[in-house]
Amino acid sequence: MFSSDAVVPTPPLSKSERTRAQLRAIALRSFRERGYEATTIRFIAQEAGVSVGTTHYHFASKNHLVQELYLDVQEQHRDAAGPELAASTDLIDRLAVVYRTGLDQLTPFHAFAPEFLSAAVSPRSPINPLSAESAPALRVIEGLFREAVDGAAGPPLPEEFRASLPDALVLGHLLLALFWVYDRSPGQQRTRTLLDGGLRLLRMALPLTRLPLLRRPLQELLGLVASVKA
């Protein structure tokens, strides 16, 4: 008899799947080491030893590879944040974990960050962080903040705030990343200092959500944040 716990072997990748994985790995390494502008489809094809046409078959444009980079960075962000979230129940500490590990994953790309920003800044750009094409990576960030909020202990937030707070936190993450692009301080310490100050203010502000007099304006503020992100 066969055990129900038997491990089913993973089928080997096809040649096409191996080629795609190779092209993706080369592109992600090049984005990190050479930046956005120097990473071209032709360069990736040459490094992989395949034709430009083959590269376009797997990735129609460089922007499709940028989306792979976004997703890879956020998946690493999730992997880095997970163990630390499991070790804390304090809401602000959990939010600090998500923000800090997010900055950690961006750090290798800081030298080339202005290139990516220049390519992404247009609202019509498919690599704009709020574009439909960027949605898979953004969902990873949203999931992390929702996990951070939902898994916190302590005095409960009113349900309407618990439901809408992650959207505001995601927008804060994007704005912090924008500040980080322009931050030329050693190790982008100004960004870390800004984050610490913002979290201290949030720790003081969250108890106000339980005050009837302030609940309505704060709820409207979160609604405005959600409309910006939508």
Side-chain angles (χ1 to χ4, degrees), residues 33-53:
E33 297 176 354
R34 296 162 54 87
Y36 175 84
E37 294 174 0
T39 299
T40 64
I41 292 293
R42 184 171 298 279
F43 171 81
I44 295 166
Q46 289 174 344
E47 288 291 295
V50 300
S51 69
V52 169

Side-chain angles (χ1 to χ4, degrees), residues 74-87:
Q74 296 312 326
E75 287 174 345
Q76 291 187 49
H77 180 190
R78 181 175 57 201
D79 291 344
E84 294 193 46
L85 285 175

Side-chain angles (χ1 to χ4, degrees), residues 202-221:
L202 185 60
R203 187 181 290 279
M204 291 187 290
L206 283 179
L208 301 179
T209 63
R210 293 188 287 274
L211 299 178
L213 181 65
L214 295 176
R215 182 175 299 181
R216 179 64 181 271
L218 289 173
Q219 189 176 353
E220 290 183 358
L221 178 60

Side-chain angles (χ1 to χ4, degrees), residues 13 38 40 88 96 127 134 143 182 199 204:
L13 295 177
T40 64
S88 174
I127 60 172
S134 301
Y182 290 97
L199 290 171
M204 291 187 290

Side-chain angles (χ1 to χ4, degrees), residues 98-182:
V98 179
Y99 281 117
R100 179 172 46 76
T101 53
L103 290 174
D104 290 344
Q105 300 311 311
L106 293 177
T107 296
F109 302 94
H110 189 264
F112 303 108
E115 297 178 12
F116 286 95
L117 178 62
S118 179
V121 70
S122 169
R124 296 185 179 88
S125 171
I127 60 172
N128 184 299
L130 295 176
S131 69
E133 292 86 348
S134 301
L138 193 62
R139 279 197 294 270
V140 176
I141 304 173
E142 292 169 342
L144 276 172
F145 279 113
R146 190 157 297 282
E147 179 183 352
V149 171
D150 290 346
L157 293 173
E159 182 53 38
E160 63 269 26
F161 288 99
R162 177 176 288 273
S164 56
L165 183 59
D167 282 339
L169 297 170
V170 170
L171 185 60
H173 173 81
L174 296 176
L175 292 173
L176 188 70
L178 180 61
F179 185 87
W180 170 87
V181 171
Y182 290 97

